[in-house]
Every structure is written in structure tokens, then in C-alpha cells.
């Protein structure tokens, strides 16, 4: 589970030109977002036309995370994935077409259709699973616990499939990726 404060913070996400000239409101907290929320993991698609961001909504000291897209010129946001419990981590492919999302399970989200594919359910805590993309963006590589003591590096196609182990078990869990 992610940690939440008992605060009442709400987010407002703006975009501003670095040369000045004002700001455009892109998104605000949903009314159902609980007692507090925050926006994080903010990035642009490579063409600059879309902003991808995550939110964490907190209610009664538990959290839910979501990922959204919104046009960089403003407009309606689109939910890509969520609600998912606890901590979340997201990576975007270099072409800006897929979001790899880690929150308990490893997901591949098509940004244009919002189609979600479950890639894997790595063992270990969410914070302990490290995720990377292959150089060609065709595979997701992740580092996860294996049994009680070691760790392994796995690879799975970005569009889904069977994960394969690509190393021998490691004894130092945090040294692989």
C-alpha cells in the first residue's frame, strides 16, 4: 500500500511556455479523489502533443493510483489505467505509443486505445521491482525477487506473452539493472 497523509491537498496541473506568455490548465483533482491527491510522473509524448501523468488519491490512509493522458494544449483527460492499489511506477516507450505501468502487476497500456495488457505479476514489493525497456522498445525487462533470497531478471514482449528468465538467480537483489 502507498502511504497517504491526512491532508486535503488537491492538484492542478498546468502547462506553461518556457518563453513566458501564461499558463494553460490541463487537469485538476477528480471529485472522487478522496481526502488528498497529487500528480506525479509527468512526461510528454515524443511529438509533444500529449501529456502523460499519474495521480495518487488518498482516502482513510490508503491510496489508489491512476495514469491519464491529456492534450498538451488542454482539453479532457483520458484515464489510461486505474484504480490500482498502492505505489505505482510508469515508463513510456520512445515512440510514445505505450505506457508500461507497475502497480502490483506489470501492465502495458496502449495510449491511443487505452487497451491494457497484463504482462506479469512479479514477486516482491512494488518498490523492489525495477522495470526497463529494451533498446528497441519491444520487450520489458524487470528485476524481481525469486524465492526467499535471490533475484532474477525477466524479459517479456511489450504486447504480452510468457516472461523468460534471462540470468541465473542473483544474491544481491539491488545490483542487477
Amino acid at each position: 500500500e502507498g502511504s497517504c497523509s491526512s491532508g486535503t491537498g488537491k492538484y492542478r496541473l498546468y502547462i506553461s511556455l518556457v518563453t513566458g506568455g501564461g499558463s494553460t490548465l490541463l487537469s485538476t483533482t477528480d471529485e472522487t479523489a478522496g481526502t488528498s491527491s497529487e500528480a506525479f510522473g509527468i512526461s510528454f509524448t515524443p511529438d509533444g502533443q500529449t501529456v502523460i501523468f499519474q495521480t495518487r488519491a488518498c482516502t482513510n490512509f490508503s491510496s489508489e493510483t491512476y495514469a491519464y493522458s491529456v492534450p498538451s494544449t488542454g482539453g479532457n483527460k483520458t484515464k489510461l489505467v486505474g484504480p490500482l492499489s498502492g505505489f505505482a511506477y510508469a515508463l513510456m516507450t520512445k515512440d510514445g505509443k505505450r505506457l508500461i505501468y507497475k502497480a502490483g502487476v506489470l501492465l502495458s497500456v496502449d495510449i491511443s486505445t487505452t487497451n491494457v495488457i497484463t504482462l506479469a505479476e512479479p514477486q516482491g514489493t512494488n518498490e523492489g521491482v525495477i522495470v526497463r525497456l529494451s533498446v528497441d522498445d519491444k520487450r520489458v525487462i524487470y528485476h524481481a525477487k525469486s524465492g526467499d533470497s535471490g533475484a532474477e531478471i525477466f524479459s517479456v514482449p511489450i504486447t504480452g506473452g510468457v516472461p523468460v528468465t534471462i540470468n541465473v538467480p542473483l544474491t544481491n537483489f539491488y545490483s542487477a539493472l
Side-chain angles (χ1 to χ4, degrees):
E1 290 291 312
S3 62
C4 286
S5 69
S6 60
T8 58
K10 305 290 184 186
Y11 77 86
R12 293 174 69 81
L13 183 62
Y14 290 89
I15 189 169
S16 300
L17 297 174
V18 294
T19 56
S23 299
T24 301
L25 178 65
L26 294 181
S27 183
T28 61
T29 303
D30 291 325
E31 293 303 314
T32 59
T35 57
S36 66
S37 66
E38 61 180 323
F40 62 99
I42 301 163
S43 59
F44 285 88
T45 55
D47 64 8
Q49 299 300 305
T50 305
V51 176
I52 306 295
F53 66 100
Q54 298 173 72
T55 64
R56 180 176 298 117
C58 301
T59 305
N60 299 324
F61 295 97
S62 67
S63 68
E64 293 180 332
T65 57
Y66 301 80
Y68 293 97
S69 67
V70 65
S72 59
T73 55
N76 294 325
K77 67 182 174 187
T78 300
K79 182 172 71 168
L80 299 173
V81 67
L84 297 168
S85 296
F87 177 83
Y89 172 80
L91 265 185
M92 191 180 340
T93 56
K94 287 185 267 317
D95 63 8
K97 294 181 180 179
R98 288 196 166 275
L99 184 71
I100 305 306
Y101 201 75
K102 170 69 181 98
V105 297
L106 192 57
L107 305 171
S108 178
V109 183
D110 183 311
I111 291 174
S112 64
T113 66
T114 69
N115 183 41
V116 178
I117 300 168
T118 300
L119 298 178
E121 296 184 32
Q123 297 177 5
T125 65
N126 287 333
E127 294 84 358
V129 176
I130 301 167
V131 180
R132 300 285 187 264
L133 293 169
S134 62
V135 175
D136 62 4
D137 277 349
K138 291 184 179 180
R139 297 191 71 87
V140 178
I141 296 95
Y142 61 98
H143 178 241
K145 286 187 177 183
S146 173
D148 292 332
S149 59
E152 293 183 43
I153 301 173
F154 298 89
S155 170
V156 64
I158 200 165
T159 55
V162 177
V164 295
T165 305
I166 60 174
N167 71 296
V168 297
L170 304 169
T171 56
N172 186 349
F173 182 64
Y174 294 101
S175 67
L177 288 177

